Amino acid sequence: MSDDGKTNDKLIATKEKWVEERRGLTGRRNRDRLPPGQHLTHDWPVLDLGIHPNLSTTDWSLTVSGAVESPLTWTWDQFRAQPQTDFITDIHCVTTWSMYDSRWTGVSALHLMALVRPKPQAKFVMFRSFDGYTTNVPLEYFADSDVMLAHSWQGLPLTREHGGPVRVVIPKLYFWKSAKWLRAITFMEKDSPGYWELRGYHDVGDPWEEERYR
Ligand SMILES: Nc1nc2c(c(=O)[nH]1)N[C@H]1C(S)=C(S)[C@@H](COP(=O)(O)O)O[C@H]1N2
Ligand SMILES: [Mo]
């Protein structure tokens, strides 16, 4: 207690103001980070068609073709010889779970695009996987700075069930767009639906717009 009784009132008022401000900030931050209709999970679920291709790194290769100036095929060693990047991103699955702070290591989509050089008429990308899965994205979503072909998660090689040796990671779209067991990338002039897109999933799949199904 101060001598005149005023200092404490002032201090209390200041602290109350901080509480209000910080409560507002925290609330806003949580709202902004978790897209509408999602809930947070801490255990990473496994979701796929039920086939988990058993690929050693020597079996694995990636072919990039279609509307590009320089198509390429990478063996595992060639893929690993590319510049490596690290991103920490969130995952949002259309089945309503989200998980924060995955650290992915791999080759960025921007690096790949600098090598293959998509033609001006390329507008969409199709991913093809070793389990027969396919998924399509507009080129501008693939050409984002946080998109990568990942081989590691939290510093460890991707497990087989989560798509190892290499999976796509597109943080700004629902997770069905992030193809596991990646085998090929085709740049396309015209859009073409992938596995789930053919079965009623949204063509783009932006979690902030709740583009779940069409
Ligand atoms: N090759 C392949 N990739 C896939 C799928 C699949 O069945 N096959 N399922 C998609 C779906 S619907 C989701 S939600 C995520 C799940 O990835 P996870 O099992 O690592 O959580 O992978 C996506 N990528
Ligand atoms: Mo999914």
Side-chain angles (χ1 to χ4, degrees):
M1 190 86 175
S2 67
D3 292 334
D4 57 9
K6 278 182 183 169
T7 315
N8 280 351
D9 288 351
K10 210 175 157 189
L11 184 64
I12 290 163
T14 306
K15 283 188 168 177
E16 280 174 349
K17 193 162 159 269
W18 284 347
V19 170
E20 278 314 304
E21 284 173 2
R22 300 190 75 174
R23 182 186 289 145
L25 260 185
T26 310
R28 253 199 311 284
R29 200 177 296 131
N30 286 340
R31 256 206 318 281
D32 279 349
R33 192 167 179 187
L34 195 63
Q38 297 293 111
H39 69 271
L40 206 52
T41 184
H42 299 280
D43 296 312
W44 189 6
V46 172
L47 282 169
D48 48 54
L49 305 176
I51 306 153
H52 295 171
N54 193 4
L55 295 161
S56 70
T57 52
T58 47
D59 296 332
W60 182 87
S61 70
L62 172 67
T63 297
V64 185
S65 62
V68 295
E69 302 292 349
S70 304
L72 62 77
T73 297
W74 278 335
T75 63
W76 174 253
D77 289 340
Q78 290 168 327
F79 171 72
R80 291 305 309 260
Q82 305 303 314
Q84 301 288 305
T85 345
D86 259 62
F87 296 130
I88 296 176
T89 63
D90 299 342
I91 296 170
H92 307 297
C93 177
V94 72
T95 60
T96 74
W97 59 268
S98 290
M99 190 174 74
Y100 290 162
D101 293 327
S102 283
R103 182 160 68 88
W104 307 101
T105 315
V107 174
S108 75
L110 289 181
H111 171 70
L112 176 73
M113 290 191 32
L115 294 183
V116 299
R117 289 176 292 126
K119 293 181 175 166
Q121 58 269 33
K123 297 281 186 283
F124 300 90
V125 172
M126 181 72 88
F127 303 111
R128 297 172 206 282
S129 299
F130 283 95
D131 62 343
Y133 187 75
T134 53
T135 187
N136 58 306
V137 297
L139 180 60
E140 68 255 34
Y141 282 90
F142 182 64
D144 207 338
S145 58
D146 59 1
V147 174
M148 76 152 71
L149 316 179
H151 57 71
S152 292
W153 179 78
Q154 316 298 46
L156 294 170
L158 265 180
T159 58
R160 177 180 166 192
E161 58 187 357
H162 285 301
V166 176
R167 79 175 299 159
V168 179
V169 178
I170 306 184
K172 291 194 185 76
L173 294 179
Y174 283 123
F175 208 35
W176 89 76
K177 297 288 189 178
S178 292
K180 309 199 275 190
W181 310 292
L182 181 65
R183 177 170 72 90
I185 303 175
T186 311
F187 288 78
M188 309 184 294
E189 297 179 26
K190 291 203 174 71
D191 200 9
S192 169
Y195 184 89
W196 284 118
E197 293 80 8
L198 270 171
R199 289 162 177 79
Y201 280 37
H202 196 279
D203 199 58
V204 178
D206 180 341
W208 304 99
E209 302 296 330
E210 281 212 85
E211 293 173 345
R212 298 175 190 274
Y213 314 106
R214 50 169 172 72

